[in-house]
Amino acid sequence: MRVSALGVLLLTFPSLLAAQIHIKTFPDYRLHITNDKYDAVWQIRIPEVVAAQSGVFLTSVRPSLEWKQIGDTLSYSWTSTPEYSEKVRASVGNRRQLDTGIQVNTTVRILPNAVAFEIELRNPTDRPMVDVWIDGGCLTHLTERFFDNSHSRTYFFTKDGLTKLSDLDRTLQIRSKYFANPAWFEEGSTKDYEFFWGRSSAIPVEALIVSEPVSGLGAVGIAWENCPGLRQSSDDAHRCMHSSSFFGNLAPGGTITRHGMLLFGDTKEAVVAAYRKLSYRMYLGAPKIAP
């Protein structure tokens, strides 16, 4: 039996898993992730959004669900229901078009100085789901030295290389979305919240967004394969960064799986080096705009 390089590493140094990274669950899609080496904590809502041309299945209104844990692997399965849609409607009103029926199967695994994400979306209905995508997790800084109120210590790759967000334009200083294809700004759920997220003409060319602290060791990044866009917020109440993933069309009974990664390193350059090993790519296509 062949053993992967990661398997060899874990067999040789099994303490790498549990000694450094700890995860606390909640009765919803939130996790608190602590990295002992950097003495810092992050929250992730995973995934924060699941949407399609037909509407939004999952959003920032917390769903009720139960995490299961076996060793260093955590998982849940959740299906969007009319009851959840009613809860969303009661919270945000009629701003968003909603949909139901998709099944979200999420798996999280602790790795050496990283956390691996896998999301499987299943369509158990008798109708196709068109242009399905996720926000792969609202990664929120909970430790003060990682707060980036000026968005000058958060970076992603543009055609000019790794670029700090404060050097890029955005219509709202406090937060923005950034897409590989600007047509995504016209996608329904994005358009509905442009007043909140704003927009930018900056084009990300890699799926990674990475941030470093104001002082001391440590950097953190998040990336998803098949990524259409990134986002970042410096809101005092919610300092976060996001990477997303495009799933495409889900036929009745069909499933699609995508992978993401939360990466840690002593510096942003170390996080970038770890990201380079993933071979993740941007999704450059445009969404199908609902009539």
Side-chain angles (χ1 to χ4, degrees):
M1 180 179 67
R2 297 183 63 185
V3 180
S4 67
L6 175 60
V8 171
L9 183 64
L10 298 183
L11 289 171
T12 307
F13 303 104
S15 62
L16 283 174
L17 283 177
Q20 185 165 294
I21 295 174
H22 312 280
I23 295 181
K24 176 185 177 182
T25 63
F26 292 84
D28 50 54
Y29 57 9
R30 291 175 298 157
L31 298 172
H32 280 189
I33 300 173
T34 301
N35 190 308
D36 290 341
K37 180 178 181 181
Y38 304 121
D39 192 24
V41 183
W42 290 266
Q43 176 179 280
I44 191 166
R45 294 185 280 187
I46 180 165
E48 185 179 38
V49 176
V50 179
Q53 184 190 63
S54 55
V56 176
F57 300 97
L58 175 64
T59 185
S60 56
V61 177
R62 297 173 190 167
S64 296
L65 56 86
E66 181 179 356
W67 288 90
K68 298 179 180 179
Q69 182 166 2
I70 301 176
D72 291 298
T73 299
L74 302 92
S75 63
Y76 73 77
S77 181
W78 176 86
T79 300
S80 62
T81 62
E83 290 76 18
Y84 176 75
S85 290
E86 290 173 8
K87 182 179 178 182
V88 173
R89 189 75 69 204
S91 176
V92 303
N94 295 320
R95 186 178 299 119
R96 286 186 167 184
Q97 181 175 330
L98 303 177
D99 200 357
T100 62
I102 205 166
Q103 181 178 337
V104 181
N105 301 313
T106 299
T107 302
V108 175
R109 186 183 178 199
I110 302 173
L111 301 176
N113 220 25
V115 179
F117 305 128
E118 178 182 285
I119 293 180
E120 176 193 80
L121 298 182
R122 178 174 177 267
N123 178 4
T125 75
D126 59 0
R127 56 186 172 82
M129 297 176 176
V130 178
D131 268 9
V132 182
W133 63 275
I134 66 165
D135 181 302
C138 174
L139 183 68
T140 305
H141 305 293
L142 299 183
T143 301
E144 186 174 358
R145 70 188 184 95
F146 279 89
F147 292 175
D148 186 12
N149 295 341
S150 62
H151 56 282
S152 60
R153 289 178 284 103
T154 304
Y155 306 77
F156 64 68
F157 282 93
T158 68
K159 61 180 178 57
D160 298 318
L162 192 62
T163 305
K164 64 176 64 176
L165 270 57
S166 58
D167 289 343
L168 304 173
D169 71 272
R170 54 202 217 177
T171 57
L172 299 177
Q173 279 300 313
I174 199 168
R175 64 179 74 86
S176 188
K177 292 185 178 183
Y178 307 87
F179 286 112
N181 187 327
W184 278 90
F185 283 111
E186 307 308 317
E187 184 268 340
S189 60
T190 301
K191 193 72 174 174
D192 289 345
Y193 269 76
E194 185 175 337
F195 78 94
F196 180 82
W197 278 102
R199 65 166 65 199
S200 172
S201 66
I203 304 293
V205 299
E206 296 282 357
L208 175 72
I209 183 167
V210 58
S211 187
E212 58 187 0
V214 67
S215 63
L217 280 181
V220 61
I222 187 170
W224 278 85
E225 61 183 349
N226 215 39
C227 173
L230 308 170
R231 65 176 94 174
Q232 185 269 348
S233 174
S234 293
D235 186 336
D236 286 348
H238 200 72
R239 301 169 176 92
C240 61
M241 54 189 194
H242 307 237
S243 180
S244 56
S245 186
F246 182 72
F247 281 64
N249 298 338
L250 268 174
T255 62
I256 298 175
T257 301
R258 298 280 187 242
H259 298 89
M261 193 74 73
L262 177 63
L263 299 165
F264 299 101
D266 288 354
T267 63
K268 65 181 183 298
E269 291 79 12
V271 171
V272 169
Y275 164 76
R276 291 295 186 201
K277 299 175 183 179
L278 300 174
S279 299
Y280 287 179
R281 295 290 181 265
M282 299 299 287
Y283 174 74
L284 302 180
K288 299 178 180 69
I289 305 300

